[in-house]
Short mmCIF file of all heavy atoms in Angstrom, two decimals:
data_model
loop_
_atom_site.label_atom_id
_atom_site.label_comp_id
_atom_site.label_asym_id
_atom_site.label_seq_id
_atom_site.Cartn_x
_atom_site.Cartn_y
_atom_site.Cartn_z
N HIS Z 979 46.78 17.50 -6.03
CA HIS Z 979 48.24 17.62 -5.89
C HIS Z 979 48.62 18.18 -4.53
O HIS Z 979 49.61 17.73 -3.92
CB HIS Z 979 48.79 18.51 -7.01
CG HIS Z 979 49.07 17.77 -8.28
ND1 HIS Z 979 50.26 17.14 -8.54
CD2 HIS Z 979 48.29 17.54 -9.37
CE1 HIS Z 979 50.22 16.56 -9.73
NE2 HIS Z 979 49.02 16.80 -10.26
N VAL Z 980 47.87 19.16 -4.07
CA VAL Z 980 48.16 19.74 -2.75
C VAL Z 980 48.00 18.68 -1.66
O VAL Z 980 48.85 18.54 -0.78
CB VAL Z 980 47.25 20.96 -2.48
CG1 VAL Z 980 47.37 21.42 -1.03
CG2 VAL Z 980 47.60 22.10 -3.43
N ALA Z 981 46.91 17.93 -1.72
CA ALA Z 981 46.67 16.88 -0.72
C ALA Z 981 47.72 15.79 -0.81
O ALA Z 981 48.12 15.21 0.22
CB ALA Z 981 45.27 16.30 -0.90
N LEU Z 982 48.18 15.50 -2.01
CA LEU Z 982 49.21 14.47 -2.22
C LEU Z 982 50.59 14.96 -1.83
O LEU Z 982 51.50 14.17 -1.61
CB LEU Z 982 49.20 14.05 -3.69
CG LEU Z 982 50.05 12.87 -4.13
CD1 LEU Z 982 49.55 11.57 -3.50
CD2 LEU Z 982 50.07 12.75 -5.65
N ASP Z 983 50.75 16.28 -1.72
CA ASP Z 983 52.03 16.94 -1.46
C ASP Z 983 53.00 16.76 -2.63
O ASP Z 983 54.19 16.57 -2.45
CB ASP Z 983 52.67 16.43 -0.16
CG ASP Z 983 53.80 17.33 0.32
OD1 ASP Z 983 53.78 18.54 0.00
OD2 ASP Z 983 54.72 16.83 1.00
N SER Z 984 52.43 16.81 -3.84
CA SER Z 984 53.25 16.71 -5.05
C SER Z 984 53.20 18.03 -5.81
O SER Z 984 52.12 18.46 -6.22
CB SER Z 984 52.74 15.59 -5.97
OG SER Z 984 53.38 15.67 -7.23
N PRO Z 985 54.35 18.67 -6.05
CA PRO Z 985 54.36 19.90 -6.84
C PRO Z 985 54.29 19.64 -8.34
O PRO Z 985 54.25 20.58 -9.13
CB PRO Z 985 55.70 20.53 -6.47
CG PRO Z 985 56.59 19.35 -6.23
CD PRO Z 985 55.69 18.29 -5.58
N SER Z 986 54.24 18.37 -8.74
CA SER Z 986 54.38 18.00 -10.16
C SER Z 986 53.06 18.18 -10.92
O SER Z 986 52.52 17.24 -11.51
CB SER Z 986 54.89 16.57 -10.27
OG SER Z 986 56.11 16.41 -9.59
N TYR Z 987 52.57 19.40 -10.90
CA TYR Z 987 51.33 19.78 -11.57
C TYR Z 987 51.71 20.62 -12.78
O TYR Z 987 52.33 21.68 -12.65
CB TYR Z 987 50.45 20.58 -10.60
CG TYR Z 987 49.23 21.23 -11.21
CD1 TYR Z 987 48.10 20.47 -11.52
CD2 TYR Z 987 49.18 22.60 -11.44
CE1 TYR Z 987 46.97 21.07 -12.07
CE2 TYR Z 987 48.05 23.21 -11.97
CZ TYR Z 987 46.95 22.43 -12.29
OH TYR Z 987 45.83 23.03 -12.82
N TYR Z 988 51.38 20.13 -13.96
CA TYR Z 988 51.77 20.77 -15.21
C TYR Z 988 50.52 21.05 -16.05
O TYR Z 988 49.56 20.28 -16.03
CB TYR Z 988 52.69 19.85 -16.03
CG TYR Z 988 54.00 19.51 -15.36
CD1 TYR Z 988 54.10 18.47 -14.45
CD2 TYR Z 988 55.16 20.23 -15.65
CE1 TYR Z 988 55.30 18.14 -13.84
CE2 TYR Z 988 56.37 19.91 -15.05
CZ TYR Z 988 56.43 18.86 -14.14
OH TYR Z 988 57.63 18.55 -13.54
N THR Z 989 50.55 22.15 -16.82
CA THR Z 989 49.46 22.44 -17.76
C THR Z 989 50.06 22.96 -19.06
O THR Z 989 51.25 23.26 -19.16
CB THR Z 989 48.46 23.48 -17.22
OG1 THR Z 989 48.96 24.80 -17.46
CG2 THR Z 989 48.16 23.29 -15.75
N SER Z 990 49.20 23.10 -20.06
CA SER Z 990 49.64 23.60 -21.36
C SER Z 990 49.95 25.09 -21.34
O SER Z 990 50.56 25.59 -22.30
CB SER Z 990 48.58 23.30 -22.42
OG SER Z 990 47.33 23.84 -22.05
N ILE Z 991 49.58 25.79 -20.29
CA ILE Z 991 49.89 27.23 -20.22
C ILE Z 991 51.38 27.47 -20.35
O ILE Z 991 51.82 28.40 -21.03
CB ILE Z 991 49.35 27.84 -18.91
CG1 ILE Z 991 47.83 28.01 -18.98
CG2 ILE Z 991 50.01 29.19 -18.63
CD1 ILE Z 991 47.23 28.59 -17.72
N THR Z 992 52.19 26.63 -19.69
CA THR Z 992 53.63 26.87 -19.70
C THR Z 992 54.30 26.34 -20.96
O THR Z 992 55.52 26.40 -21.07
CB THR Z 992 54.29 26.26 -18.45
OG1 THR Z 992 53.86 24.90 -18.28
CG2 THR Z 992 53.91 27.05 -17.21
N ILE Z 993 53.51 25.85 -21.93
CA ILE Z 993 54.08 25.53 -23.24
C ILE Z 993 54.15 26.78 -24.11
O ILE Z 993 55.11 26.98 -24.85
CB ILE Z 993 53.24 24.45 -23.96
CG1 ILE Z 993 53.43 23.09 -23.27
CG2 ILE Z 993 53.63 24.34 -25.43
CD1 ILE Z 993 52.65 21.97 -23.92
N ASP Z 994 53.12 27.66 -24.01
CA ASP Z 994 53.07 28.74 -25.01
C ASP Z 994 52.85 30.14 -24.48
O ASP Z 994 52.96 31.09 -25.25
CB ASP Z 994 52.01 28.43 -26.07
CG ASP Z 994 50.60 28.28 -25.49
OD1 ASP Z 994 50.38 28.65 -24.33
OD2 ASP Z 994 49.72 27.79 -26.22
N GLN Z 995 52.55 30.35 -23.19
CA GLN Z 995 52.28 31.73 -22.78
C GLN Z 995 52.45 32.02 -21.28
O GLN Z 995 51.69 32.80 -20.72
CB GLN Z 995 50.86 32.12 -23.19
CG GLN Z 995 49.77 31.18 -22.72
CD GLN Z 995 48.42 31.52 -23.31
OE1 GLN Z 995 48.11 32.68 -23.55
NE2 GLN Z 995 47.61 30.51 -23.54
N PRO Z 996 53.43 31.42 -20.61
CA PRO Z 996 53.55 31.69 -19.17
C PRO Z 996 53.90 33.13 -18.83
O PRO Z 996 53.52 33.62 -17.77
CB PRO Z 996 54.67 30.73 -18.73
CG PRO Z 996 55.45 30.47 -19.98
CD PRO Z 996 54.45 30.48 -21.08
N ALA Z 997 54.61 33.82 -19.73
CA ALA Z 997 54.98 35.21 -19.43
C ALA Z 997 53.76 36.10 -19.35
O ALA Z 997 53.70 37.02 -18.53
CB ALA Z 997 55.95 35.73 -20.49
N LYS Z 998 52.76 35.81 -20.19
CA LYS Z 998 51.58 36.67 -20.29
C LYS Z 998 50.68 36.55 -19.07
O LYS Z 998 49.95 37.48 -18.74
CB LYS Z 998 50.81 36.32 -21.57
CG LYS Z 998 49.58 37.15 -21.81
CD LYS Z 998 49.15 37.13 -23.27
CE LYS Z 998 48.93 35.74 -23.79
NZ LYS Z 998 48.65 35.73 -25.24
N VAL Z 999 50.68 35.39 -18.44
CA VAL Z 999 49.71 35.14 -17.37
C VAL Z 999 50.38 34.88 -16.03
O VAL Z 999 49.87 34.14 -15.20
CB VAL Z 999 48.79 33.96 -17.73
CG1 VAL Z 999 47.87 34.33 -18.87
CG2 VAL Z 999 49.59 32.71 -18.09
N GLY Z 1000 51.52 35.51 -15.79
CA GLY Z 1000 52.15 35.35 -14.49
C GLY Z 1000 53.51 35.99 -14.37
O GLY Z 1000 53.74 36.85 -13.52
N ILE Z 1001 54.44 35.61 -15.24
CA ILE Z 1001 55.81 36.10 -15.11
C ILE Z 1001 55.88 37.60 -15.32
O ILE Z 1001 56.56 38.32 -14.57
CB ILE Z 1001 56.73 35.36 -16.09
CG1 ILE Z 1001 56.80 33.88 -15.73
CG2 ILE Z 1001 58.12 35.97 -16.10
CD1 ILE Z 1001 57.50 33.01 -16.75
N GLY Z 1002 55.18 38.10 -16.33
CA GLY Z 1002 55.20 39.54 -16.58
C GLY Z 1002 54.70 40.35 -15.41
O GLY Z 1002 55.29 41.37 -15.02
N GLN Z 1003 53.61 39.91 -14.80
CA GLN Z 1003 53.04 40.61 -13.65
C GLN Z 1003 53.93 40.47 -12.42
O GLN Z 1003 54.05 41.40 -11.62
CB GLN Z 1003 51.64 40.06 -13.36
CG GLN Z 1003 50.62 40.32 -14.45
CD GLN Z 1003 50.68 39.31 -15.58
OE1 GLN Z 1003 51.54 38.43 -15.60
NE2 GLN Z 1003 49.74 39.40 -16.50
N ALA Z 1004 54.57 39.32 -12.27
CA ALA Z 1004 55.45 39.12 -11.12
C ALA Z 1004 56.66 40.05 -11.18
O ALA Z 1004 57.12 40.55 -10.15
CB ALA Z 1004 55.92 37.66 -11.08
N ARG Z 1005 57.16 40.30 -12.36
CA ARG Z 1005 58.36 41.13 -12.51
C ARG Z 1005 58.05 42.62 -12.47
O ARG Z 1005 58.81 43.40 -11.89
CB ARG Z 1005 59.06 40.81 -13.83
CG ARG Z 1005 59.55 39.39 -13.96
CD ARG Z 1005 60.12 39.13 -15.33
NE ARG Z 1005 61.45 39.68 -15.48
CZ ARG Z 1005 62.06 39.88 -16.65
NH1 ARG Z 1005 61.41 39.60 -17.77
NH2 ARG Z 1005 63.28 40.37 -16.71
N MET Z 1006 56.97 43.02 -13.09
CA MET Z 1006 56.69 44.46 -13.24
C MET Z 1006 55.63 44.96 -12.28
O MET Z 1006 55.62 46.14 -11.93
CB MET Z 1006 56.23 44.72 -14.68
CG MET Z 1006 55.90 46.17 -14.97
SD MET Z 1006 55.42 46.35 -16.72
CE MET Z 1006 54.88 48.05 -16.74
N GLY Z 1007 54.75 44.09 -11.82
CA GLY Z 1007 53.56 44.52 -11.11
C GLY Z 1007 52.41 44.65 -12.11
O GLY Z 1007 52.56 44.41 -13.30
N PHE Z 1008 51.26 45.07 -11.62
CA PHE Z 1008 50.10 45.23 -12.51
C PHE Z 1008 49.15 46.27 -11.94
O PHE Z 1008 49.25 46.66 -10.77
CB PHE Z 1008 49.39 43.88 -12.73
CG PHE Z 1008 48.92 43.20 -11.48
CD1 PHE Z 1008 47.62 43.37 -11.02
CD2 PHE Z 1008 49.77 42.38 -10.75
CE1 PHE Z 1008 47.18 42.75 -9.87
CE2 PHE Z 1008 49.35 41.75 -9.59
CZ PHE Z 1008 48.05 41.92 -9.15
N TRP Z 1009 48.22 46.71 -12.77
CA TRP Z 1009 47.31 47.79 -12.42
C TRP Z 1009 46.02 47.20 -11.87
O TRP Z 1009 45.34 46.43 -12.55
CB TRP Z 1009 47.04 48.66 -13.64
CG TRP Z 1009 46.28 49.92 -13.34
CD1 TRP Z 1009 44.99 50.20 -13.67
CD2 TRP Z 1009 46.78 51.07 -12.67
NE1 TRP Z 1009 44.65 51.46 -13.24
CE2 TRP Z 1009 45.73 52.02 -12.61
CE3 TRP Z 1009 48.01 51.40 -12.10
CZ2 TRP Z 1009 45.88 53.27 -12.02
CZ3 TRP Z 1009 48.16 52.65 -11.50
CH2 TRP Z 1009 47.11 53.57 -11.46
N LEU Z 1010 45.67 47.56 -10.65
CA LEU Z 1010 44.52 46.98 -9.98
C LEU Z 1010 43.21 47.38 -10.64
O LEU Z 1010 42.21 46.66 -10.55
CB LEU Z 1010 44.52 47.40 -8.50
CG LEU Z 1010 43.62 46.62 -7.55
CD1 LEU Z 1010 43.93 45.13 -7.60
CD2 LEU Z 1010 43.79 47.15 -6.13
N GLY Z 1011 43.20 48.51 -11.33
CA GLY Z 1011 41.98 48.97 -11.99
C GLY Z 1011 41.74 48.35 -13.35
O GLY Z 1011 40.69 48.59 -13.96
#
């Protein structure tokens, strides 16, 4: 997708748990330890 210059990359993660593996950390931060 990067080589094609297409952002249209989709996975099943964003069907059921995107907050747990990205959005939550983006908004609050996370603990490096």
Side-chain angles (χ1 to χ4, degrees):
H979 275 273
V980 170
L982 187 66
D983 195 27
S984 169
S986 303
Y987 171 76
Y988 298 84
T989 83
S990 56
I991 285 179
T992 50
I993 289 181
D994 60 13
Q995 54 187 327
K998 181 160 55 186
V999 291
I1001 295 171
Q1003 295 83 356
R1005 298 175 77 196
M1006 180 178 172
F1008 57 95
W1009 188 252
L1010 196 56

